[in-house]
């Protein structure tokens, strides 16, 4: 029993500080929920239904350009989760079936980062830690997006606060670039997305993203 | 109603991307090529997204002087500070100040 308590306490102690940098994100997301024109509860329902900040934001900001473009873009933004799923798969093999179904729902970036440090723990301990971190993060996310969406209308539209969305994506982009080919791939993606911007259904976005990935693969091949 | 279906579809897709290897392909290997390609999805999509948000569906760039400077400041700050909070706070202040000065 003592041990259980300490794992749970440890999980909460790890999850809370990692949540703090996500708070400005929830404010931006709330703004997108308000500006999407949906009823607030429906915009907020993306938090429990999708439960992934970048995908929620992409969907809500692009929805006015058409559902197909917004859905595709949001799912592509989520492609990184495939890597998390693959990396976690061996550890989940030793887990009961209910956890194998429920666990992936909680697998956001931050939970992945923390859980990866524990994959060699004994299965029971791993499960407790994962659930503590995952549920703590989930509750905080649901509460703070709800709080932000209720407080949001306080900020007048004339402030141009929506500009913070591209700034945030740029910030995420820059921090994810860990080697030169990724920077080149990002530039090609941006250039192609701009040149193809007038294509219907915002397909320039996909074309740009595709061009970036192809560029990256070519550069990696050249390096060898 | 339509909105909710859209949200539900993205929700299902998101769950699928997190669950697929854990539930069905646990003992299969992902080839190194695919892994490498997945690494490039992040930066490429984000770059294309930033551009898409600054361009109208007709292909026109909506980028004033204030926006341009704020983006540059954000890029440099993100690179140097590695802090989203600092990056967003400073670049938004730059954006607002320039807008006021230029208005």
């Amino acid at each position: 029993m003592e041990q259980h308590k300490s794992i749970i306490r440890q999980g909460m102690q790890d999850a809370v500080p990692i949540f703090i940098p996500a708070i400005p994100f929830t404010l931006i997301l709330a703004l997108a929920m308000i500006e999407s024109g949906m009823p607030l509860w429906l915009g907020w329902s993306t938090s429990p239904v999708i439960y992934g900040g970048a995908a929620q934001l992409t969907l809500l900001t692009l929805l006015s350009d058409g559902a197909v473009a917004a859905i595709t873009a949001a799912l592509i933004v989520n492609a990184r989760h495939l890597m998390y799923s693959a990396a976690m798969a061996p550890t989940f093999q030793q887990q009961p079936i209910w956890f194998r179904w429920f666990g992936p729902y909680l697998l956001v970036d931050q939970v992945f980062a923390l859980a990866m440090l524990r994959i060699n723990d004994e299965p029971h301990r791993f499960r407790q830690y994962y659930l503590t971190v995952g549920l703590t993060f989930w509750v905080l996310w649901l509460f703070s997006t709800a709080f932000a969406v209720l407080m949001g209308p306080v900020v007048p539209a004339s402030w141009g606060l929506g500009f913070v969305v591209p700034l945030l994506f740029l910030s995420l982009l820059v921090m994810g670039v860990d080697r030169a080919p990724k920077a080149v791939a990002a530039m090609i993606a941006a250039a192609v997305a701009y040149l193809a911007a007038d294509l219907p259904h915002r397909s320039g976005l996909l074309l740009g993203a595709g061009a970036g990935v192809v560029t990256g693969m070519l550069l990696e091949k050249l390096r060898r | 109603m339509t909105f909710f279906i859209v949200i539900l579809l993205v929700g299902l897709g998101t769950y699928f991307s997190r669950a697929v290897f854990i539930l069905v392909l646990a003992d299969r290997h992902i080839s190194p090529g695919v892994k490498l390609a997945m690494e490039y999805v992040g930066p490429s999509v984000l770059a294309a997204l930033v551009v898409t948000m600054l361009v109208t569906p007709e292909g026109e760039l909506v980028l004033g002087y204030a926006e341009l400077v704020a983006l540059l400041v954000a890029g440099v700050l993100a690179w140097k500070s590695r802090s989203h909070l600092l990056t967003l706070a400073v670049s938004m202040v730059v954006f607002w100040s320039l807008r006021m000065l230029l208005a």
Side-chain angles (χ1 to χ4, degrees), chain A residues 51 78 101 158-159 171 220, chain B residues 14-15 18 40 84 96 99:
Chain A
Y51 188 46
N78 265 340
W101 280 91
S158 62
W159 283 25
S171 185
E220 292 280 351
Chain B
T14 302
Y15 177 77
R18 288 170 182 160
Y40 278 89
H84 290 302
W96 280 323
R99 250 180 23 148

Side-chain angles (χ1 to χ4, degrees), chain A residues 37-102:
Chain A
M38 297 181 201
L40 288 185
W41 66 269
L42 194 54
W44 178 81
S45 78
T46 56
S47 280
V49 176
I50 301 174
Y51 188 46
Q56 287 174 250
L57 191 58
T58 307
L59 179 69
L60 291 167
T61 11
L62 293 183
L63 205 52
S64 54
D65 297 337
V68 177
I71 294 173
T72 329
L75 290 179
I76 295 180
V77 165
N78 265 340
R80 67 186 187 287
H81 290 122
L82 292 169
M83 287 187 278
Y84 302 166
S85 187
M88 281 285 160
T91 311
F92 271 75
Q93 280 286 279
Q94 309 156 4
Q95 296 292 343
I97 190 78
W98 67 267
F99 186 65
R100 276 194 262 168
W101 280 91
F102 178 62

Side-chain angles (χ1 to χ4, degrees), chain B residues 5 18 22 53-54 60 65 89 98:
Chain B
I5 292 172
R18 288 170 182 160
I22 289 172
M53 286 175 181
L54 301 172
E60 228 169 292
Y65 186 63
L98 282 176

